[in-house]
Structures are given as structure tokens and as C-alpha cells.
Amino acid sequence: MSGIVLGAPLRGWAAPLDDVPDPVFAERMMGDGIAIDPLEGLIRAPAAATVASLPETAHAITLDLANGAQILIHIGIDTVALGGEGFEACVAAGQKVAAGDPLIRFDLDAVARRAKSLVTPIVLVNEGFRVVVEATGRQVAAEEPLLRIERVDGVPAGVAAKDGPIAERRIVVPLPNGLHARPAARVANLAKSFAANVRVAAHERTADGRSMVALMALGLKRGEEAMLSATGPDAEAAVAALAALIESGMDEPEALPSPAPSPVPSGDASVLQGITASPGLAVGPLAHFRPVAIDVPTDGDGVAAEERALAEALAAVAASLDGAHGDSGLAAAHRALLEDPELAADARAEIATGRSAGHAWRTATATAAEKLRATGDPLLIERVADLEDVERQLLAQLTGTSPSAADVPAGAILVADELLPSQFLGLRGKVAGIITARGGPTSHVALLAAAAGLPMVVAAGRGVLALAEGQQVVLDADAGRLETQPDPAKLAEAEQRVRASAERRASQAAAAREDCRMADGTRIEIFANLASPAEAALAVEAGAEGCGLLRTEFLFLDRSAAPSEEEQVEAYAAIAAGLDGRPLIVRTLDVGADKPVPYLPRAREENPALGMRGIRLGLASPDLLRTQLRAILRGVPEAQCRIMIPMVVDRSELTATRALLDEVAAELGRTGRVPLGVMIETPASALLAADIAEEADFLSIGTNDLTQYALAADRLNPATAAMADALHPAVLHLIRLAADGARKHGRWLGVCGGIASDPAAAPILIGLGATELSAAPAAIPALKAAVRTLNADACATLAERALACGSAAEVRRLLGDKG
Ligand code: PEP
Ligand code: MG
């Protein structure tokens, strides 16, 4: 007999792993082994070994055996949640132990009362070895021979990816739409930043944490449990970071736009009913979209050549995503698919059987699509279109064809079975509207159409495919329908409405580049909120006169280490360049609460929104803040540069930040004063605005947070979302206080929360004293048009009347009456 014999680490009932009430162990995701249902509370060393890792919670231990095998002893199931209570380590990591030495003592009764199960798996966790079970299905005494660990010939011992400490965490998915494409891409991205091998297990399946496709195929829905596990040097950090990311809810919207009701037949044969994907009205000749099929050879020219061709094509398509889409969410999702380890492994396996790169990728895509369809989840099934789109782009690259080749007359209403995002992008600007037989309202094409303001209806059924080419139709995307035989009067009326709305949009867009003044000449600056370099130039095009809030979190989230100073300098400089000399207000990092970052030590918080977030976290991690301030000063030209701090409560936080900023400026040889402003986002800062404004260079109201704190209505909680109305008179009174404080010291006051994008709210905000509104870029043309119709006196009167209202509904009624 060869190998190392492991004695039972404790007295109890030996059972196969299949009996463990946890799929991670029962399905041997961690490795093969055995389990013991304990009859005593002492874990002993099963053989001579070195302690590889022992978490602080002391609920598990990994041991390195003399032959290189590594085993994990895990006391009970889900015992990590006990936080170490009832467990006591007798050894430390790195310590050498002899067979029979005590390793961990635990309180059998106390743990049994609180844990899901006491069953204790003992598993081999690295490769190159196998397990031979010596005793099972009976009671064993401590140290009685239990398992033999043998080396497997030809397999290198201790394959690196699985070596090292092990960590695990059970989580409940809070994501409103489950682990769909966007969160799956973020999880996969973060998992890739760790050396550890990360797995996510749920529904008796397990997924490679770096594979977006595999994660989506788990079909995880809101409220469902998943087990995160990691093996590798940074396993603990990886699991902690991924759990924090998923548990944060990732800022996912409560419900994706337009729930998909089943199309209701209209009863009128000349009307086809679908679902609104992007609202609007369009009139034009109907044109069918016929994509060109891309042929690829089945057989390849040798494994090495095909692998090289695949790698080159993947790299080329990835490079073409940079900037091509103008939609960073879509580009990120497509990039995640191009980098997906599972898709790549499946394709390589096909190539190894002699297939061509194109055939292999097509096969791998079909397998992945099948897995998504098998979840039965309509949101995930919609993502098949993204898989097919990436396939089309890759095959086009491999074969030298155009992925979006299609010939459609300008101004047509396009009919397609289903459209891929890249095909849409090839058509944008040419067609007047789109209707598809299939597809869903939350697909990327739908979002792209909405962003482009192009009317689109989806899921209209196969009937649309039978319509005659060239017939004049009316696409009423607001109502989700297509009128196939409009009479001349109907056609003329629809054409008139389309013209009027186009003229309105065109005049708003044309005037958007002009500086904004109210009808009485009062200057109101209309700035843009930005969250990435790509948006800066687009915002200027939409009419932004500067950036009133740069949310710098984009640089810091979803990664395992903070961005370097150089990386930040580059990003800030790119945004400043995109703004072409216009002012850029950079907000210092506002992480914490719902935006956790794994590399900042943070205790678990019962109420994260009231915890270490915003400037509190910045001042508690001064190195991070100092680096960011340096990067801002280096990246943003002096004339454009302003800095703003989030989540301020009183002046002391401003004073501390000012001191740090002045120090950094002096280090960099900057002599001019860098404007430093404060976000008014807490009721405290609004109440103390006069004191704060004495030292601050400007104030900007963050109505999103100010509203949630003033009204005690969590901005992320769907149940309180409707209550969190920034036009509530209580919030308006706080804004008025802030405005009074700013005015007292001659500071300007802006608004950068979501309400600033709403043209209807502009007269109240201006009436209360705001002279700058920082809005979503797409909202700017309409916002400027609305502000140009206002005059200061009427705004002040309206604001007074709003302050006298008793509820948000009353304020909204007031606006309605006015309009
Ligand atoms: C706000 O709170 O209104 C704000 C602009 O900041 P954020 O939405 O980034 O918290
Ligand atoms: Mg805020």
C-alpha cells in the first residue's frame, strides 16, 4: 500500500461526502474525501503535517501533508457565519504538527444549536492525488485509519490554481433581476483580478467565477442562496470582495425597463401589437432586414494555426469595441464574452479535434446559448443575442466580411426577426423606426434604441415578417404597435406629429451648444454629470457647459487594488480634454455604503448608508485621498480644475480636506488656490450651510442623498423609492437653507442630484437659488430649452409656493397647474 494514511480527526459517524447537506461538498466541488458526523468537540491532526491556513473563525483548517497533498477539514456546514463563536484554535498557520496533535476545539452543543449541520467534511483539495476511503458507514474512533491519499502518476502534484488557503462564504443574492449579464460581467471581472480560483455554486451547479456565461447559466435569482468558494493565495480577499460586490446590490435598478407583458392581439388585422422597446412615432416605407450569412469551414488548418487565428480574432474584436459602440455597458458585456474562460476553453477543445477556429467558436457559442435558454429566465435568454452578436463579429473578423452588412433605404421602418447590437449600430441614423418579431424590451438593442431616441417595438410576432416590402406604415412605439394599412388621413396626421417632434428636438439640439440664459437674461449654467472618460465629449456635444459632478467611483470599483496615481491622472486628463477647456468639478471618491471596495478595510456595518462612506472614508484612509487629490491636480489643467467632497456633515471635514489639498498642491508646486466645494447631501450640512460656505468655494446639492436622509427613505429600497421625492417640501426647505448659506458668503450654489435633470423641476430649483444645474448629458437639450423660457421673479414666486406645500404630491400638482 502506498500513500499517506489519514486517521479520523475526531470520533464520529463516517459517511460518504454525498451525505453532506451542501452541494459544494456533496458534489465534490472542493475535492474528494469523506465526512464525519462528530461525537466529540476536538479536531486532531490526521497525519504529520504543516498547518497551511486557519481562518480567524477557526471553523476549518487546511493542512499540507508530507507528500504535497493538501486537505481541508471543515467543521460543520455554514459555520463561518458563527464568526468564531464556539471554536478555539490550538495551532497557528505555518506550525508543524504530528498525527494526533489537537488542532481545534469546539463546543459541540453550542455549534450544533446554531449551525445548519455539524457534519464535518475532510477533503483533498489539490490535484495530483486521489483519495481511497478506508472506513465509511460506521462509527470511527479518533485516529482510526480513515482515508489514504495517493499520488496519481503523470499528474503534477499540487496544481497551482488550487493550492493555497481556501475561503468560502454563503451569500443571498439581492439583485432585483438576479445574476443577469451586467452583474455577471462585473463579478467575472472582479474574480479575474485575484490569483485564487473562484467558484460560485448554486442550484446544484457550479460556475467558474471568471466566466460570465457560466455565472449567468446558474440562473441565480433575487433572494436565492449561492456559495462562493476560492482557493489560492488571496482566497480570503477574493471571497470577501465578491461577496461584498454581490451583496451591495451593485446599484442595479429595481426593475428593468418596461416589464414584458405578452402582446395583446388588437383584433384589427391591420394592426400588429408588440412591446415598446423605445418610445416614439415613425412613419415610412417598410423594409426587411436580411443579414448576410457568414460561412466558415468546418475543418481547420492544424491546431496551432487555428488557435492562433482565434486568439488574433478575439484580440481584434476586443480592440474594435473600444469606442466603437458609444455604449460602455454593451462594450463591457461583449468584452466579457470575448474574454470568457469557459467559451474559450470550449472553443479550444473543438479546435483540438481538428475544427476551424470559426466552427469552434460557433459551436462554443451554441453550447453557451443552450445553457442560457435552459435557465428558462427571459432576461437571460435575451442575452443569447449578445452571444450571437459577439459570434458574428468574431466570424466576420476571421473571414474578412462585414458583421453588419445590410442594405436598407433611408427613413424606412425596419422589420427584422431579431436584431443584434452590432447590426443596430450599422443601421443607426438610417432608419426611422424598428420592429422585430422576437427580442425583448431589455435587450441591448432595445437600450441602444432608447438611447438613440429611435422608436422600436419588439416581440411583435412572426406576422411582421410576412408584410410586403415598401408599404407605408405607422410605427406607434408608444403604444407598441404597427399600423400596416393606415388611411391617408391617419398617415398625414402621423407625419405631422413626427415632423413637429423632430423640429422640437432639432431646435433644442441646435440651441443646446449656446450658453444658457433665462428669458430675463439671468445666466444659469447647465453642466453634465459624468462617470467615465467616454462621456465627456458626448456631453459637450449635447450642450454641457462643463462637468458639475464627476463621479470618480468608476476608477475604483470592481477591482482588487486601488488605481495608481498614474492611472487616475490619465483618466482625469482624458475627461478634461474631452471637455475642451470647460470647468471640471471632480468629486473625491464616494465609496462605502452601497459601493464597497474590497481593498479598504471596513467593518461590517448594520446601516452602511449611515456608516463609513464619502469623505468620512476618505479622511479615514488619507493615503487614498491624498493620491486622488494629487492625481486630480496633475491630470486636470488648473483653469478647469475644481474639487468637491461628498457626504459632508459639518465644516470640520472641509477644513481637514482643505489642509490635505493645500499640502498636496504645495508638494506639486501649485501656487493658485484650488477651488474646493462641498456637496450638500446631509440635512446637517444644509442646516450648517452658512458656516460651511464661509470656507467652501461653492456648494452643490446632492438631492439623491439629501432626500433619502431628510425623508428617512432609503434610495435603494423599492418600497420607499416613491417616497424619496426630491420635490418634497422638506427637501426644498433644506435646499433653501443651503442657498441662504451660500448667498451669505457670496458662493454659488448648484444642484447635481437626479432632480436637476428634470426640466419641470428647474423653476423651483432656480427659484430657491441654484445658478448651476448638473444633469445627465442626454437631458441637457430639453433642460436648456426649458430654462430659456423661465424668468427669475416667476421662479422665486413658484419656489415660495412650493415651500408652503405640505407634500411632494402637492408640489407636483403645483407644477402641473403651472404647466
Ligand atoms: C446625490 O446624492 O444626489 C449625488 C449627486 O451623489 P450620488 O448620487 O453619486 O450619491
Ligand atoms: Mg450622493
Side-chain angles (χ1 to χ4, degrees):
M1 263 199 299
S2 63
I4 290 182
V5 173
L6 301 188
L10 77 177
R11 183 162 62 85
W13 185 269
L17 278 184
D18 314 66
D19 292 356
V20 179
D22 182 339
V24 174
F25 291 108
E27 290 174 19
R28 294 164 173 76
M29 294 173 201
M30 285 262 191
D32 200 4
I34 197 168
I36 295 185
D37 201 354
L39 292 168
E40 63 174 345
L42 175 63
I43 301 287
R44 300 174 184 80
T50 305
V51 178
S53 70
L54 180 62
E56 257 177 45
T57 44
H59 70 291
I61 187 166
T62 42
L63 300 169
D64 286 332
L65 304 182
N67 62 355
Q70 191 174 62
I71 60 158
L72 164 75
I73 303 173
H74 193 284
I75 307 169
I77 301 303
D78 281 357
T79 39
V80 64
L82 302 186
E85 229 175 279
F87 297 92
E88 184 196 338
C90 312
V91 289
Q95 192 173 328
K96 287 202 179 334
V97 292
D101 282 356
L103 301 177
I104 300 171
R105 284 181 205 286
F106 62 101
D107 183 333
L108 195 66
D109 293 334
V111 176
R113 270 198 305 277
R114 297 184 56 204
K116 178 171 166 188
S117 162
L118 260 187
V119 171
T120 297
I122 299 137
V123 295
L124 167 69
V125 292
N126 59 347
E127 288 165 22
F129 300 89
R130 76 168 142 252
V131 168
V132 180
V133 174
E134 303 252 304
T136 184
R138 65 176 173 82
Q139 190 172 319
V140 291
E143 298 186 57
E144 185 180 330
L146 185 69
L147 293 178
R148 198 150 32 85
I149 306 286
E150 295 180 347
R151 189 182 283 279
V152 181
D153 291 338
V155 179
V159 170
K162 269 193 149 193
D163 266 356
I166 294 173
E168 42 167 8
R169 176 96 58 98
R170 192 170 289 280
I171 53 157
V172 174
V173 173
L175 308 164
N177 299 294
L179 197 59
H180 69 95
R182 184 174 42 224
R186 288 181 64 182
V187 169
N189 231 355
L190 181 57
K192 281 180 205 151
S193 69
F194 291 94
N197 229 352
V198 181
R199 320 276 310 159
V200 182
H203 297 159
E204 320 216 320
R205 290 194 296 274
T206 174
D208 180 342
R210 293 163 305 154
S211 167
M212 173 193 179
V213 170
L215 289 169
M216 285 196 289
L218 288 175
L220 265 168
K221 299 204 169 55
R222 176 192 222 167
E224 291 184 339
E225 275 195 356
M227 180 62 134
L228 302 180
S229 59
T231 43
D234 49 5
E236 230 1 290
V239 163
L242 286 161
L245 176 65
I246 297 170
E247 286 172 343
S248 73
M250 299 191 208
D251 263 342
E252 283 287 300
E254 180 46 29
L256 291 169
S258 334
S262 28
V264 185
S266 67
D268 175 351
S270 69
V271 174
L272 291 170
Q273 183 70 45
I275 298 170
T276 305
S278 168
L281 183 73
V283 179
L286 193 137
H288 287 277
F289 177 71
R290 293 185 184 86
V292 185
I294 301 178
D295 288 329
V296 289
T298 307
D299 295 327
D301 284 338
V303 174
E306 295 299 328
E307 283 203 345
R308 200 171 43 250
L310 178 63
E312 283 170 8
L314 285 168
V317 177
S320 74
L321 289 178
D322 296 330
H325 283 314
D327 172 347
S328 54
L330 175 63
H334 283 191
R335 193 170 290 108
L337 291 174
L338 291 167
E339 292 169 358
D340 195 284
E342 191 162 298
L343 272 175
D346 283 358
R348 276 201 303 275
E350 277 290 311
I351 289 175
T353 68
R355 300 297 180 224
S356 74
H359 183 89
W361 190 262
R362 188 166 261 170
T363 308
T365 300
T367 309
E370 204 32 59
K371 283 187 193 158
L372 291 187
R373 290 198 181 97
T375 63
D377 180 334
L379 281 175
L380 293 179
I381 294 170
E382 281 181 21
R383 259 61 231 187
V384 170
D386 289 325
L387 269 171
E388 289 173 350
D389 197 0
V390 167
E391 173 193 301
R392 205 172 163 78
Q393 294 178 58
L394 193 89
L395 299 191
Q397 177 70 34
L398 279 167
T399 56
T401 43
S402 162
S404 55
D407 201 10
V408 180
I413 306 293
L414 186 83
V415 175
D417 182 25
E418 201 167 8
L419 268 187
L420 301 173
S422 61
Q423 292 168 335
F424 172 87
L425 292 162
L427 294 162
R428 193 173 49 180
K430 293 188 196 151
V431 298
I434 298 176
I435 182 163
T436 60
R438 295 189 294 155
T442 60
S443 66
H444 269 127
V445 170
L447 301 179
L448 287 171
L454 187 71
M456 180 174 183
V457 170
V458 293
R462 298 194 61 75
V464 289
L465 302 176
L467 295 172
E469 181 97 9
Q471 70 188 81
Q472 284 289 321
V473 292
V474 175
L475 181 72
D476 181 356
D478 294 328
R481 51 197 232 154
L482 181 78
E483 296 187 29
T484 59
Q485 288 154 27
D487 58 35
K490 175 90 199 172
L491 211 52
E493 185 238 358
E495 277 168 350
Q496 169 53 28
R497 277 169 56 205
V498 169
R499 262 197 309 276
S501 121
E503 276 163 18
R504 194 170 56 245
R505 273 204 314 277
S507 76
Q508 287 175 352
R513 297 296 294 271
E514 306 291 316
D515 281 352
C516 186
R517 287 186 185 280
M518 289 164 62
D520 59 14
T522 311
R523 175 86 170 97
I524 300 291
E525 289 173 314
I526 305 293
F527 282 15
N529 290 351
L530 301 178
S532 73
E535 293 169 341
L538 294 175
V540 169
E541 214 153 281
E545 297 163 29
C547 167
L549 166 65
L550 173 63
R551 291 184 165 104
T552 55
E553 293 77 60
F554 74 92
L555 277 166
F556 291 80
L557 297 174
D558 298 351
R559 50 195 297 163
S560 52
S564 67
E565 186 174 318
E566 291 314 315
E567 184 182 344
Q568 291 187 60
V569 170
E570 217 175 283
Y572 303 142
I575 292 167
L579 290 170
D580 197 16
R582 294 172 180 79
L584 167 52
I585 301 180
V586 185
R587 175 175 77 183
T588 61
L589 191 56
D590 184 20
V591 290
D594 56 306
K595 304 168 204 152
V597 284
Y599 41 87
L600 285 181
R602 203 159 62 95
R604 215 187 80 74
E605 295 180 317
E606 206 58 58
N607 290 303
L610 304 180
M612 290 300 287
R613 57 167 298 193
I615 195 62
R616 296 175 185 173
L617 198 70
L619 292 172
S621 313
D623 289 347
L624 192 80
L625 183 57
R626 173 185 286 276
T627 305
Q628 184 176 33
L629 293 173
R630 275 182 67 88
I632 296 169
L633 295 189
R634 288 178 54 207
V636 185
E638 200 162 340
Q640 281 177 278
C641 185
R642 292 124 178 79
I643 298 176
M644 176 160 84
I645 51 178
M647 292 306 301
V648 168
V649 165
D650 62 36
R651 183 173 176 170
S652 66
E653 291 155 322
L654 172 63
T655 309
T657 311
R658 178 91 244 173
L660 201 59
L661 176 60
D662 288 347
E663 241 176 79
V664 169
E667 271 166 32
L668 294 171
R670 289 274 279 261
T671 46
R673 178 183 165 90
V674 183
L676 180 63
V678 164
M679 285 189 81
I680 300 295
E681 298 184 283
T682 64
S685 63
L687 290 161
L688 299 179
D691 188 45
I692 294 173
E694 193 175 357
E695 192 171 329
D697 294 302
F698 60 90
L699 304 182
S700 181
I701 316 261
T703 47
N704 307 335
D705 277 312
L706 184 62
T707 306
Q708 82 161 342
Y709 294 126
L711 304 181
D714 184 347
R715 64 192 272 194
L716 299 177
N717 180 345
T720 55
M723 296 173 204
D725 188 337
L727 288 182
H728 193 288
V731 181
L732 302 183
H733 277 282
L734 290 169
I735 297 177
R736 161 54 57 86
L737 279 175
D740 290 346
R743 195 177 308 111
K744 181 170 173 197
H745 296 286
R747 313 298 184 209
W748 65 261
L749 175 94
V751 180
C752 61
I755 197 73
S757 296
D758 181 355
I764 293 188
L765 299 175
I766 293 169
L768 288 172
T771 56
E772 178 247 32
L773 299 175
S774 192
I780 288 176
L783 182 61
K784 279 192 162 178
V787 170
R788 289 193 174 113
T789 65
L790 303 175
N791 81 59
D793 290 343
C795 289
T797 310
L798 185 70
E800 288 309 323
R801 290 177 62 199
L803 286 169
C805 287
S807 67
E810 232 178 280
V811 176
R812 292 208 172 260
R813 267 198 301 278
L814 183 69
L815 289 178
D817 293 347
K818 193 199 125 268

